[in-house]
Amino acid sequence: MWADLDRVLLKSSELAPAEFQPGEDIKSVLRDYARVLVIGAGGLGCEILKDLALSGFRDIEVIDLDRIDITNLNRQFLFRQSDVGSFKSEVAAKFIMERVPECKVKAYTCPIQEFDEEFYSGFHIIIAGLDNIEARRWLNSMIYSMVKFDKDGEPLPETVRPIIDGGTEGFKGQARVVIPYKTACYECTLPMMTPQKGVPMCTIAETPRIPEHCIEYAYIIEWEKAFPNRKVDKDSYEDMNWIYETALERAKAYGIEGVTYMKTMGVVKNIIPAIASTNAIVAAACAAEALKIATYVTKPVDNYFMFMGQTGIHTATLQIEKDPNCLVCSNKPGIITIGKNSKLKDFISILTDSNSKYKMISPSISCGAGILYMPKPPALEEKHRFKLDLTFQELIDQGFYGEDFLTVTDQTFINSMNFNLVFRD
């Protein structure tokens, strides 16, 4: 392994920036200094952990709260059948340390939101192999909240933590480098996300035509009838099997074939078929970027790498520009134009609309006069619920809102966001 690394770490290169100094000292950076956090130990995370260990990194920590399912074994190669039911992060860490004994990997089995700024600031590089947008947005928000500035308003380098974000979708994949206040952040790229396509409820309930309609019916309608006020545990075999069997009965009634347990998991968990080779390519790109950042052996990608394997092997690198009005990295309040006769609930709908740039989940709203709305705890929600049906003119007339900025908090972000309202005539 080191023989291969020596070819790039011990020789000068015209491609390397001025900071690169070939020699044994640069190898000691990987062995003794660099600390890397990997978030996710699934299909992408397994590959990333392997690549980091074989690239000379010796101090790695990994977070993943999922347990190993038998369906993971076809591509998540650090796991064996005897590992089914165990935590992915713990099994992956143990496997890496057994194969690369000098590498230390520490595992965590809780949500990333349970860790604070002190924890994340303890790493030099953070690599995200996450499978959902909400967690990526939260992590992006956390890394930006950690940055401190000098008297001239410039970020202090010692407080900047780069994120390398990898993602795959079938034959497609991407790896991006986010350096706070230097490159575009994750929030800047939300408009690039493909909106999820929904199925009309009337089709699901009355005229199912394909297996997915039967599964959605069992998941959305029949589950609520059978288990009111209890959410589906998507990691529970018993819950998923109940949905599968219920969907199978409906499919038989309509003469529809193709409902399987695997398809049921795919629909309920919104799983896109994973391809091992795509994971390997994107993970290699992520690990290469980590090596570049840690050693200065060459310049990192600027700042978005795409892999397109649908019809061949195609790659592209492009620079995504910052959104000058980004809620996270612009340090500007959001601006929303709305009518004074619009209701508070209309404003919340703008924030939570999946097709808007905000895509919040459950926002709380306050202003200089106090709380306007708070979705939980239940007692507070009930106390302020009546304001949802008040127009902004009524909120102003009754003293609930003084036409100042609105402060919005949401589980998507670590910090609150400010919004200025521009009222239409």
Side-chain angles (χ1 to χ4, degrees):
M1 177 191 70
W2 283 111
D4 294 324
L5 287 170
D6 286 349
R7 296 175 182 174
V8 293
L9 297 182
L10 301 184
K11 298 179 180 179
S12 58
S13 170
E14 294 181 359
L15 299 177
E19 294 88 345
F20 177 64
Q21 299 295 325
E24 290 294 329
D25 287 346
I26 206 71
K27 292 168 64 176
S28 70
V29 169
L30 296 176
R31 286 194 301 253
D32 309 320
Y33 179 71
R35 300 188 70 232
V36 183
L37 174 65
V38 177
I39 303 178
L44 191 57
C46 283
E47 293 279 359
I48 290 171
L49 288 167
K50 175 260 293 181
D51 290 345
L52 289 174
L54 296 178
S55 297
F57 290 95
R58 292 293 172 260
D59 192 348
I60 304 169
E61 300 190 11
V62 56
I63 303 174
D64 197 312
L65 53 79
D66 286 347
R67 293 178 182 270
I68 299 165
D69 186 88
I70 195 168
T71 59
N72 302 144
L73 303 183
N74 70 328
R75 64 194 181 281
Q76 298 177 22
F77 62 93
L78 300 184
F79 311 140
R80 302 293 181 266
Q81 189 160 353
S82 59
D83 298 322
V84 171
S86 301
F87 284 107
K88 290 182 178 181
S89 58
E90 293 179 345
V91 174
K94 181 181 177 183
F95 192 103
I96 294 294
M97 288 189 290
E98 287 176 349
R99 293 295 293 269
V100 187
E102 62 269 32
C103 186
K104 181 184 70 174
V105 186
K106 184 176 181 180
Y108 301 92
T109 59
C110 52
I112 62 173
Q113 292 85 351
E114 291 190 10
F115 297 96
D116 58 15
E117 179 179 317
E118 182 179 0
F119 173 82
Y120 288 105
S121 63
F123 299 94
H124 300 101
I125 301 170
I126 297 171
I127 305 180
L130 291 159
D131 60 0
N132 69 87
I133 293 173
E134 288 75 21
R136 283 185 167 105
R137 295 177 72 188
W138 186 91
L139 178 65
N140 180 73
S141 174
M142 165 59 82
I143 299 308
Y144 271 81
S145 73
M146 291 162 44
V147 177
K148 305 295 186 292
F149 299 88
D150 62 21
K151 61 182 181 180
D152 297 321
E154 295 297 320
L156 293 171
E158 64 270 21
T159 67
V160 172
R161 297 295 181 272
I163 302 175
I164 301 169
D165 176 69
T168 63
E169 183 178 304
F171 286 102
K172 299 181 292 183
Q174 53 81 21
R176 78 184 80 188
V177 175
V178 175
I179 301 177
Y181 296 104
K182 183 177 180 181
T183 68
C185 77
Y186 187 83
E187 197 75 16
C188 292
T189 66
L190 278 187
M192 296 172 59
M193 305 297 172
T194 303
Q196 293 185 358
K197 296 180 180 179
V199 179
M201 184 58 69
C202 58
T203 300
I204 294 173
E206 299 173 12
T207 55
R209 298 185 300 274
I210 58 177
E212 287 82 352
H213 294 166
C214 300
I215 296 167
E216 291 280 11
Y217 182 85
Y219 173 47
I220 296 173
I221 297 175
E222 290 298 325
W223 178 270
E224 180 62 26
K225 292 179 182 177
F227 309 100
N229 301 319
R230 184 167 88 79
K231 292 182 66 176
V232 175
D233 182 351
K234 298 179 183 180
D235 294 317
S236 165
Y237 171 78
E238 288 76 16
D239 286 10
M240 296 300 294
N241 193 58
W242 186 94
I243 294 173
Y244 158 63
E245 292 180 347
T246 304
L248 188 60
E249 290 180 10
R250 183 168 177 80
K252 289 178 179 177
Y254 283 86
I256 298 172
E257 297 181 354
V259 173
T260 64
Y261 181 77
M262 286 293 294
K263 186 176 287 291
T264 300
M265 289 188 63
V267 171
V268 174
K269 290 189 171 187
N270 194 29
I271 296 174
I272 297 166
I275 297 172
S277 57
T278 308
N279 285 337
I281 291 168
V282 171
C286 291
E289 294 308 316
L291 186 65
K292 295 175 190 177
I293 292 171
T295 65
Y296 297 104
V297 67
T298 190
K299 294 179 180 179
V301 66
D302 186 19
N303 48 44
Y304 193 91
F305 164 82
M306 298 173 61
F307 168 72
M308 297 153 285
Q310 304 96 306
T311 58
I313 299 178
H314 306 284
T315 64
T317 302
L318 62 148
Q319 184 185 66
I320 298 178
E321 296 184 358
K322 295 181 181 181
D323 177 357
N325 297 310
C326 175
L327 285 178
V328 174
C329 69
S330 73
N331 289 329
K332 297 178 183 177
I335 298 176
I336 292 180
T337 300
I338 198 169
K340 278 195 174 182
N341 289 325
S342 298
K343 297 179 180 179
L344 179 60
K345 65 182 180 182
D346 298 327
F347 173 70
I348 294 176
S349 294
I350 293 172
L351 297 179
T352 57
D353 186 349
S354 61
N355 292 318
S356 76
K357 65 179 292 185
Y358 308 112
K359 296 180 176 63
M360 296 188 186
I361 297 172
S362 184
S364 298
I365 317 293
S366 62
C367 63
I371 296 172
L372 285 175
Y373 180 71
M374 191 168 289
K376 54 187 176 181
L380 270 178
E381 194 282 332
E382 184 177 1
K383 179 180 178 182
H384 297 282
R385 188 185 304 161
F386 74 96
K387 298 175 188 174
L388 292 173
D389 288 314
L390 296 180
T391 66
F392 277 97
Q393 186 61 65
E394 290 170 333
L395 290 170
I396 294 168
D397 292 343
Q398 296 179 36
F400 294 123
Y401 174 52
E403 297 194 61
D404 52 350
F405 63 82
L406 295 176
T407 300
V408 179
T409 59
D410 187 75
Q411 65 195 69
T412 305
F413 306 106
I414 189 70
N415 291 327
S416 60
M417 304 289 170
N418 291 330
F419 285 84
N420 288 328
L421 298 186
V422 176
F423 291 113
R424 292 190 293 263
D425 292 336

